[in-house]
Amino acid sequence: GAGVSQSPSNKVTEKGKDVELRCDPISGHTALYWYRQSLGQGLEFLIYFQGNSAPDKSGLPSDRFSAERTGGSVSTLTIQRTQQEDSAVYLCASRWTTHSYEQYFGPGTRLTVT
Amino acid sequence: GDSVTQMEGPVTLSEEAFLTINCTYTATGYPSLFWYVQYPGEGLQLLLKATKADDKGSNKGFEATYRKETTSFHLEKGSVQVSDSAVYFCALSDPNTGNQFYFGTGTSLTVIP
């Protein structure tokens, strides 16, 4: 595609519900990254994929967070039993490979937990 | 571990003023360094990069030099414009950590006419 796309663009959910956030990377990009940007904060690394595998899951804040990637393309970030502190913008980025210099970011999903 | 420290904001400047946003880094390997920009309501975009020591990245009048001796990558622009108002993020990519990106906390810049 033309760029990294994410859906939904906005999500409002009640505390305790599960949510799924989707990322479609640029076609052919093998590396995919998830970040969280909280209000007034920088980017917090969550997880990255090389192909379908996730060599580094150390950034996931708790076991309520999980992510998968299938077919070396689309990735889904799932947050179970959402809490108010999960409210943030979730950003996805892709790279041609992990050795490429540039990451291309999607527009993000703004998650609000009420 | 790897990390990036950048100047706290917010920064407010008058149009045509000189801009410096400081960035220093810690890395175990020989990282590549980046500045990303996030305009209001938009996603992050790469502004410039430098992949080895003494390289100078430049774009849109902005420039930054990779200084290994001071582990710094300060962003500069000689004459800012209102359209430069945005949040600027310094970042590094370290081949020793699978080329994961590490970002600074961001510096908000507002340029007033």
Side-chain angles (χ1 to χ4, degrees):
Chain A
V4 178
S5 61
Q6 293 185 245
S7 60
S9 55
N10 279 285
K11 176 71 176 179
V12 180
T13 190
E14 292 180 353
K15 178 182 172 181
K17 296 284 181 68
D18 298 351
V19 295
E20 285 189 353
L21 312 180
R22 176 187 169 107
C23 173
D24 281 273
I26 292 174
S27 179
H29 281 195
T30 61
L32 185 148
Y33 300 76
W34 283 100
Y35 298 90
R36 179 167 70 175
Q37 186 177 25
S38 302
L39 188 63
Q41 303 296 313
L43 271 71
E44 176 187 6
F45 167 77
L46 298 179
I47 189 170
Y48 87 95
F49 290 88
Q50 177 57 40
N52 290 335
S53 65
D56 185 355
K57 300 181 181 180
S58 63
L60 294 176
S62 74
D63 59 8
R64 296 185 296 105
F65 287 73
S66 63
E68 65 175 13
R69 189 179 186 196
T70 55
S73 181
V74 172
S75 176
T76 302
L77 177 69
T78 301
I79 309 173
Q80 296 178 308
R81 304 180 303 281
T82 52
Q83 304 294 313
Q84 287 187 330
E85 61 263 29
D86 300 333
S87 296
V89 176
Y90 290 82
L91 294 169
C92 175
S94 71
R95 296 163 93 172
W96 186 251
T97 70
T98 55
H99 300 288
S100 304
Y101 292 126
E102 184 169 354
Q103 283 186 110
Y104 295 84
F105 280 83
T109 294
R110 180 175 297 279
L111 175 66
T112 303
V113 181
T114 61
Chain B
D2 291 11
S3 66
V4 174
T5 302
Q6 67 179 98
M7 188 171 111
E8 293 284 333
V11 174
T12 302
L13 295 174
S14 297
E15 206 165 23
E16 299 183 1
F18 185 85
L19 169 71
T20 300
I21 301 177
N22 289 339
C23 171
T24 58
Y25 68 89
T26 302
T28 54
Y30 297 93
S32 296
L33 302 174
F34 306 82
W35 278 99
Y36 277 80
V37 59
Q38 187 176 31
Y39 297 105
E42 298 184 14
L44 274 76
Q45 304 171 26
L46 179 66
L47 179 60
L48 54 84
K49 66 177 185 283
T51 59
K52 61 183 187 296
D54 300 324
D55 269 3
K56 178 185 283 188
S58 60
N59 186 26
K60 299 182 181 180
F62 291 88
E63 57 183 34
T65 301
Y66 188 161
R67 300 284 187 203
K68 192 169 187 295
E69 64 276 13
T70 54
T71 62
S72 64
F73 193 55
H74 305 320
L75 182 68
E76 296 182 336
K77 186 174 185 182
S79 176
V80 293
Q81 304 301 311
V82 172
S83 57
D84 294 327
S85 298
V87 180
Y88 293 82
F89 293 90
C90 186
L92 71 83
S93 175
D94 186 345
N96 278 16
T97 56
N99 282 306
Q100 180 190 144
F101 269 68
Y102 297 84
F103 284 85
T105 53
T107 301
S108 174
L109 170 66
T110 301
V111 180
I112 55 177

